[in-house]
Amino acid sequence: MIDLHTHTNKSDGTDSPRELVNKAIVQGLTVLGISDHDTTSSWQEATESLRGNLQLALGSEISCLTEDGISVHMLGLLFDGAHEQMQVMLEETRDGRLPRMRKMVEKMQAAGIDISMADVEAARPEGATLGRPHLADALVNKGVISTRDEAFQGMLNNESEFYVSHAAPTPAQAIAMIRKAGGVAVIAHPFASHRGQILKASDFQELVAAGLNGIEVDHRDQNPEEREMLRSIATELDLVITGSSDYHGSGKLNALAEFQTSPAQWEKLESLADKRRVVRA
Ligand code: AMP
Ligand code: ZN
Ligand code: FE
Ligand code: FE
């Protein structure tokens, strides 16, 4: 069982890296990818918690914006965590998330909603990459809404009046940096249309030119038709096909390993990193 895309409480998941590794071991996963938003801060605890046969593919899910303002998530796996330029890129994105959150909170206050930055900070685990799910949790704590999911159906959706984007690299820039740091780049849920505007089939060629290695095809936010379109794009462009859960603990409905990557596709993906960086116990 191979699940290459999960989150911990170092971003907007609810399990600590140790808890996530333990769950993966209990469920019998063979490879676990850990990909917190715009950070590698989960890597150390995850590595220290590793035992048995589980292998770790450490990474990060990098928030990107196209020049047209479309939000894209790029999974970087198996890159050098000590790569300085990569860490600068991740840090710049994290820094931009604070003023962005202030703006979202101000818009809500202007609409008469009882919420403050202090409420959001109280809902954010220490050191976690700040994101809309923490604002959702703050709204739940305040009794404005009842779940994160409800928030994303309405007031925190990309199309909502309260939505504000934050500075981020373009998908091509993120891919180039992941590859420069020795890792592999897989575009996450590119056709997750209910989240907002998505890429077009013709956009993938340019990403391949930038060094894209794979497409996350099997993901709950993509319907069967969207998955088949992506599968054929991946086949045509000779890209690795992945499937993953995008597990966020209790912060999202996604169950660990609900979608998986085949051993053959994983082997191909791993061989494209500049070094063998899979972590073993
Ligand atoms: P942000 O990075 O701050 O723009 O927030 C986006 C994050 O919200 C993504 O990581 C998603 O995993 C999360 N998210 C999107 N939809 C939902 C949902 N329905 N329930 C919980 N979290 C969600
Ligand atoms: Zn998330
Ligand atoms: Fe994502
Ligand atoms: Fe994710």
Short mmCIF file of all heavy atoms in Angstrom, two decimals, residues 8-50:
data_model
loop_
_atom_site.label_atom_id
_atom_site.label_comp_id
_atom_site.label_asym_id
_atom_site.label_seq_id
_atom_site.Cartn_x
_atom_site.Cartn_y
_atom_site.Cartn_z
N THR A 8 0.17 16.57 8.21
CA THR A 8 0.22 16.47 9.67
C THR A 8 -0.13 17.83 10.28
O THR A 8 -0.43 18.78 9.55
CB THR A 8 1.65 16.09 10.16
OG1 THR A 8 2.49 17.24 10.06
CG2 THR A 8 2.23 14.95 9.35
N ASN A 9 -0.02 17.92 11.60
CA ASN A 9 -0.31 19.21 12.24
C ASN A 9 0.83 20.22 12.09
O ASN A 9 0.82 21.26 12.73
CB ASN A 9 -0.70 19.02 13.71
CG ASN A 9 0.41 18.41 14.55
OD1 ASN A 9 1.53 18.22 14.07
ND2 ASN A 9 0.11 18.10 15.80
N LYS A 10 1.80 19.91 11.22
CA LYS A 10 2.81 20.92 10.85
C LYS A 10 2.25 21.80 9.74
O LYS A 10 2.86 22.79 9.34
CB LYS A 10 4.12 20.26 10.41
CG LYS A 10 4.77 19.40 11.49
CD LYS A 10 5.21 20.22 12.68
CE LYS A 10 5.93 19.35 13.70
NZ LYS A 10 6.24 20.10 14.93
N SER A 11 1.08 21.40 9.18
CA SER A 11 0.31 22.33 8.35
C SER A 11 -1.14 22.23 8.82
O SER A 11 -1.43 22.57 9.98
CB SER A 11 0.50 22.09 6.85
OG SER A 11 0.07 20.82 6.42
N ASP A 12 -2.05 21.72 7.99
CA ASP A 12 -3.46 21.74 8.38
C ASP A 12 -4.04 20.35 8.63
O ASP A 12 -5.26 20.18 8.66
CB ASP A 12 -4.30 22.50 7.34
CG ASP A 12 -4.10 21.99 5.93
OD1 ASP A 12 -3.38 20.99 5.76
OD2 ASP A 12 -4.67 22.59 5.00
N GLY A 13 -3.18 19.35 8.82
CA GLY A 13 -3.66 18.06 9.29
C GLY A 13 -3.85 18.12 10.80
O GLY A 13 -3.46 19.10 11.43
N THR A 14 -4.43 17.06 11.38
CA THR A 14 -4.65 17.09 12.83
C THR A 14 -3.79 16.08 13.59
O THR A 14 -3.70 16.14 14.81
CB THR A 14 -6.14 16.84 13.17
OG1 THR A 14 -6.53 15.58 12.62
CG2 THR A 14 -7.03 17.93 12.60
N ASP A 15 -3.15 15.12 12.89
CA ASP A 15 -2.26 14.17 13.57
C ASP A 15 -0.84 14.74 13.62
O ASP A 15 -0.41 15.39 12.66
CB ASP A 15 -2.17 12.85 12.78
CG ASP A 15 -3.46 12.06 12.80
OD1 ASP A 15 -4.34 12.35 13.64
OD2 ASP A 15 -3.59 11.13 11.97
N SER A 16 -0.12 14.46 14.68
CA SER A 16 1.29 14.82 14.70
C SER A 16 2.02 13.88 13.73
O SER A 16 1.48 12.82 13.37
CB SER A 16 1.86 14.64 16.11
OG SER A 16 1.85 13.26 16.44
N PRO A 17 3.22 14.24 13.30
CA PRO A 17 3.97 13.32 12.42
C PRO A 17 4.09 11.92 13.03
O PRO A 17 3.95 10.91 12.32
CB PRO A 17 5.32 14.01 12.28
CG PRO A 17 5.01 15.47 12.43
CD PRO A 17 3.92 15.53 13.47
N ARG A 18 4.31 11.85 14.34
CA ARG A 18 4.43 10.54 15.01
C ARG A 18 3.13 9.75 14.92
O ARG A 18 3.13 8.56 14.60
CB ARG A 18 4.82 10.77 16.49
CG ARG A 18 5.05 9.50 17.29
CD ARG A 18 5.49 9.84 18.72
NE ARG A 18 6.65 10.73 18.73
CZ ARG A 18 7.91 10.32 18.56
NH1 ARG A 18 8.19 9.04 18.41
NH2 ARG A 18 8.91 11.19 18.57
N GLU A 19 2.02 10.43 15.17
CA GLU A 19 0.72 9.74 15.09
C GLU A 19 0.44 9.24 13.67
O GLU A 19 -0.08 8.14 13.47
CB GLU A 19 -0.41 10.69 15.52
CG GLU A 19 -0.45 10.92 17.02
CD GLU A 19 -1.29 12.12 17.46
OE1 GLU A 19 -1.56 13.03 16.64
OE2 GLU A 19 -1.67 12.14 18.64
N LEU A 20 0.79 10.05 12.69
CA LEU A 20 0.56 9.64 11.30
C LEU A 20 1.41 8.42 10.94
O LEU A 20 0.90 7.45 10.35
CB LEU A 20 0.87 10.81 10.35
CG LEU A 20 0.82 10.48 8.86
CD1 LEU A 20 -0.54 9.94 8.45
CD2 LEU A 20 1.18 11.72 8.03
N VAL A 21 2.68 8.45 11.32
CA VAL A 21 3.55 7.30 11.04
C VAL A 21 3.00 6.05 11.73
O VAL A 21 2.94 4.97 11.13
CB VAL A 21 5.01 7.60 11.47
CG1 VAL A 21 5.85 6.33 11.52
CG2 VAL A 21 5.63 8.63 10.53
N ASN A 22 2.55 6.20 12.97
CA ASN A 22 1.99 5.05 13.69
C ASN A 22 0.76 4.49 12.97
O ASN A 22 0.61 3.28 12.84
CB ASN A 22 1.63 5.44 15.12
CG ASN A 22 2.85 5.57 16.00
OD1 ASN A 22 3.93 5.05 15.68
ND2 ASN A 22 2.72 6.27 17.12
N LYS A 23 -0.12 5.37 12.52
CA LYS A 23 -1.32 4.90 11.80
C LYS A 23 -0.94 4.18 10.52
O LYS A 23 -1.55 3.16 10.15
CB LYS A 23 -2.24 6.09 11.48
CG LYS A 23 -3.02 6.55 12.70
CD LYS A 23 -3.99 7.67 12.39
CE LYS A 23 -4.60 8.17 13.72
NZ LYS A 23 -5.45 9.34 13.56
N ALA A 24 0.06 4.70 9.82
CA ALA A 24 0.50 4.07 8.57
C ALA A 24 1.04 2.67 8.84
O ALA A 24 0.77 1.72 8.10
CB ALA A 24 1.55 4.94 7.89
N ILE A 25 1.77 2.53 9.94
CA ILE A 25 2.32 1.22 10.31
C ILE A 25 1.18 0.26 10.65
O ILE A 25 1.12 -0.87 10.16
CB ILE A 25 3.31 1.35 11.48
CG1 ILE A 25 4.58 2.09 11.01
CG2 ILE A 25 3.67 -0.03 12.06
CD1 ILE A 25 5.52 2.51 12.13
N VAL A 26 0.24 0.73 11.47
CA VAL A 26 -0.89 -0.12 11.88
C VAL A 26 -1.71 -0.56 10.66
O VAL A 26 -2.14 -1.71 10.57
CB VAL A 26 -1.79 0.64 12.90
CG1 VAL A 26 -3.11 -0.08 13.11
CG2 VAL A 26 -1.05 0.81 14.22
N GLN A 27 -1.90 0.34 9.70
CA GLN A 27 -2.69 -0.01 8.51
C GLN A 27 -1.89 -0.81 7.48
O GLN A 27 -2.44 -1.21 6.46
CB GLN A 27 -3.23 1.26 7.85
CG GLN A 27 -4.34 1.89 8.67
CD GLN A 27 -5.11 2.95 7.88
OE1 GLN A 27 -5.24 2.87 6.67
NE2 GLN A 27 -5.62 3.94 8.57
N GLY A 28 -0.60 -1.01 7.72
CA GLY A 28 0.20 -1.85 6.83
C GLY A 28 0.67 -1.17 5.56
O GLY A 28 0.92 -1.84 4.55
N LEU A 29 0.79 0.16 5.58
CA LEU A 29 1.33 0.84 4.40
C LEU A 29 2.80 0.44 4.20
O LEU A 29 3.51 0.15 5.18
CB LEU A 29 1.27 2.37 4.57
CG LEU A 29 0.00 3.04 4.03
CD1 LEU A 29 -1.18 2.77 4.93
CD2 LEU A 29 0.21 4.55 3.89
N THR A 30 3.24 0.44 2.96
CA THR A 30 4.65 0.16 2.68
C THR A 30 5.42 1.45 2.42
O THR A 30 6.58 1.57 2.77
CB THR A 30 4.80 -0.78 1.47
OG1 THR A 30 4.02 -0.26 0.38
CG2 THR A 30 4.30 -2.18 1.81
N VAL A 31 4.74 2.42 1.77
CA VAL A 31 5.37 3.73 1.54
C VAL A 31 4.38 4.83 1.92
O VAL A 31 3.23 4.82 1.48
CB VAL A 31 5.77 3.92 0.05
CG1 VAL A 31 6.48 5.26 -0.13
CG2 VAL A 31 6.65 2.78 -0.44
N LEU A 32 4.85 5.77 2.74
CA LEU A 32 4.03 6.91 3.16
C LEU A 32 4.71 8.20 2.71
O LEU A 32 5.86 8.46 3.08
CB LEU A 32 3.88 6.92 4.69
CG LEU A 32 3.20 8.16 5.30
CD1 LEU A 32 1.71 8.21 4.92
CD2 LEU A 32 3.36 8.18 6.81
N GLY A 33 4.01 8.99 1.91
CA GLY A 33 4.51 10.31 1.53
C GLY A 33 3.94 11.32 2.50
O GLY A 33 2.74 11.32 2.77
N ILE A 34 4.79 12.17 3.06
CA ILE A 34 4.31 13.23 3.96
C ILE A 34 4.58 14.56 3.28
O ILE A 34 5.71 14.87 2.91
CB ILE A 34 5.00 13.16 5.34
CG1 ILE A 34 4.75 11.78 5.97
CG2 ILE A 34 4.47 14.27 6.26
CD1 ILE A 34 5.33 11.62 7.37
N SER A 35 3.51 15.33 3.08
CA SER A 35 3.59 16.51 2.20
C SER A 35 2.84 17.68 2.82
O SER A 35 1.80 18.09 2.31
CB SER A 35 3.01 16.15 0.83
OG SER A 35 1.75 15.52 0.98
N ASP A 36 3.37 18.21 3.90
CA ASP A 36 2.72 19.37 4.51
C ASP A 36 2.87 20.60 3.62
O ASP A 36 3.86 20.72 2.89
CB ASP A 36 3.29 19.61 5.92
CG ASP A 36 2.61 18.71 6.93
OD1 ASP A 36 1.37 18.75 6.99
OD2 ASP A 36 3.31 17.93 7.62
N HIS A 37 1.89 21.49 3.72
CA HIS A 37 1.89 22.67 2.88
C HIS A 37 3.09 23.58 3.16
O HIS A 37 3.26 24.07 4.27
CB HIS A 37 0.60 23.48 3.11
CG HIS A 37 -0.64 22.75 2.77
ND1 HIS A 37 -1.06 22.53 1.48
CD2 HIS A 37 -1.58 22.16 3.55
CE1 HIS A 37 -2.20 21.86 1.49
NE2 HIS A 37 -2.53 21.60 2.73
N ASP A 38 3.90 23.79 2.14
CA ASP A 38 4.97 24.80 2.17
C ASP A 38 5.92 24.68 3.35
O ASP A 38 6.42 25.68 3.86
CB ASP A 38 4.35 26.23 2.13
CG ASP A 38 3.39 26.39 0.96
OD1 ASP A 38 3.77 26.00 -0.15
OD2 ASP A 38 2.26 26.88 1.17
N THR A 39 6.19 23.47 3.78
CA THR A 39 7.13 23.26 4.89
C THR A 39 7.69 21.84 4.87
O THR A 39 7.05 20.92 4.35
CB THR A 39 6.45 23.53 6.26
OG1 THR A 39 7.43 23.40 7.30
CG2 THR A 39 5.32 22.56 6.54
N THR A 40 8.88 21.71 5.46
CA THR A 40 9.46 20.38 5.66
C THR A 40 9.58 20.09 7.16
O THR A 40 10.32 19.20 7.56
CB THR A 40 10.88 20.29 5.02
OG1 THR A 40 11.72 21.29 5.59
CG2 THR A 40 10.82 20.49 3.51
N SER A 41 8.84 20.85 7.97
CA SER A 41 9.04 20.75 9.42
C SER A 41 8.53 19.44 10.03
O SER A 41 8.78 19.16 11.19
CB SER A 41 8.41 21.95 10.13
OG SER A 41 7.03 21.98 9.87
N SER A 42 7.81 18.63 9.24
CA SER A 42 7.36 17.33 9.76
C SER A 42 8.42 16.23 9.59
O SER A 42 8.28 15.16 10.18
CB SER A 42 6.09 16.91 9.03
OG SER A 42 6.25 17.10 7.64
N TRP A 43 9.43 16.49 8.79
CA TRP A 43 10.35 15.42 8.40
C TRP A 43 11.08 14.79 9.58
O TRP A 43 11.20 13.56 9.64
CB TRP A 43 11.40 15.94 7.41
CG TRP A 43 10.87 16.28 6.05
CD1 TRP A 43 9.57 16.48 5.69
CD2 TRP A 43 11.66 16.47 4.87
NE1 TRP A 43 9.50 16.80 4.36
CE2 TRP A 43 10.75 16.80 3.82
CE3 TRP A 43 13.03 16.41 4.58
CZ2 TRP A 43 11.19 17.05 2.52
CZ3 TRP A 43 13.46 16.67 3.30
CH2 TRP A 43 12.54 16.99 2.27
N GLN A 44 11.57 15.62 10.48
CA GLN A 44 12.41 15.09 11.55
C GLN A 44 11.64 14.15 12.47
O GLN A 44 12.05 13.00 12.71
CB GLN A 44 13.02 16.23 12.36
CG GLN A 44 14.11 15.72 13.30
CD GLN A 44 14.68 16.81 14.19
OE1 GLN A 44 14.57 18.00 13.88
NE2 GLN A 44 15.26 16.39 15.31
N GLU A 45 10.49 14.60 12.98
CA GLU A 45 9.70 13.76 13.89
C GLU A 45 9.24 12.49 13.19
O GLU A 45 9.23 11.40 13.78
CB GLU A 45 8.49 14.54 14.43
CG GLU A 45 7.71 13.77 15.48
CD GLU A 45 6.48 14.55 15.97
OE1 GLU A 45 6.57 15.78 16.18
OE2 GLU A 45 5.42 13.91 16.15
N ALA A 46 8.86 12.62 11.92
CA ALA A 46 8.42 11.44 11.16
C ALA A 46 9.56 10.43 11.06
O ALA A 46 9.36 9.22 11.26
CB ALA A 46 7.93 11.86 9.78
N THR A 47 10.74 10.92 10.77
CA THR A 47 11.90 10.03 10.62
C THR A 47 12.23 9.35 11.95
O THR A 47 12.50 8.14 11.99
CB THR A 47 13.11 10.86 10.12
OG1 THR A 47 12.76 11.45 8.87
CG2 THR A 47 14.34 9.98 9.94
N GLU A 48 12.16 10.12 13.02
CA GLU A 48 12.47 9.56 14.35
C GLU A 48 11.43 8.52 14.78
O GLU A 48 11.72 7.66 15.61
CB GLU A 48 12.52 10.69 15.38
CG GLU A 48 13.76 11.56 15.24
CD GLU A 48 13.67 12.87 16.03
OE1 GLU A 48 12.67 13.07 16.76
OE2 GLU A 48 14.61 13.69 15.88
N SER A 49 10.21 8.62 14.24
CA SER A 49 9.14 7.71 14.65
C SER A 49 9.10 6.42 13.82
O SER A 49 8.31 5.53 14.10
CB SER A 49 7.78 8.40 14.47
OG SER A 49 7.79 9.68 15.03
N LEU A 50 9.92 6.38 12.79
CA LEU A 50 9.85 5.27 11.83
C LEU A 50 10.36 3.96 12.42
O LEU A 50 11.37 3.93 13.11
CB LEU A 50 10.68 5.65 10.59
CG LEU A 50 10.55 4.73 9.38
CD1 LEU A 50 9.12 4.73 8.87
CD2 LEU A 50 11.50 5.18 8.27
#
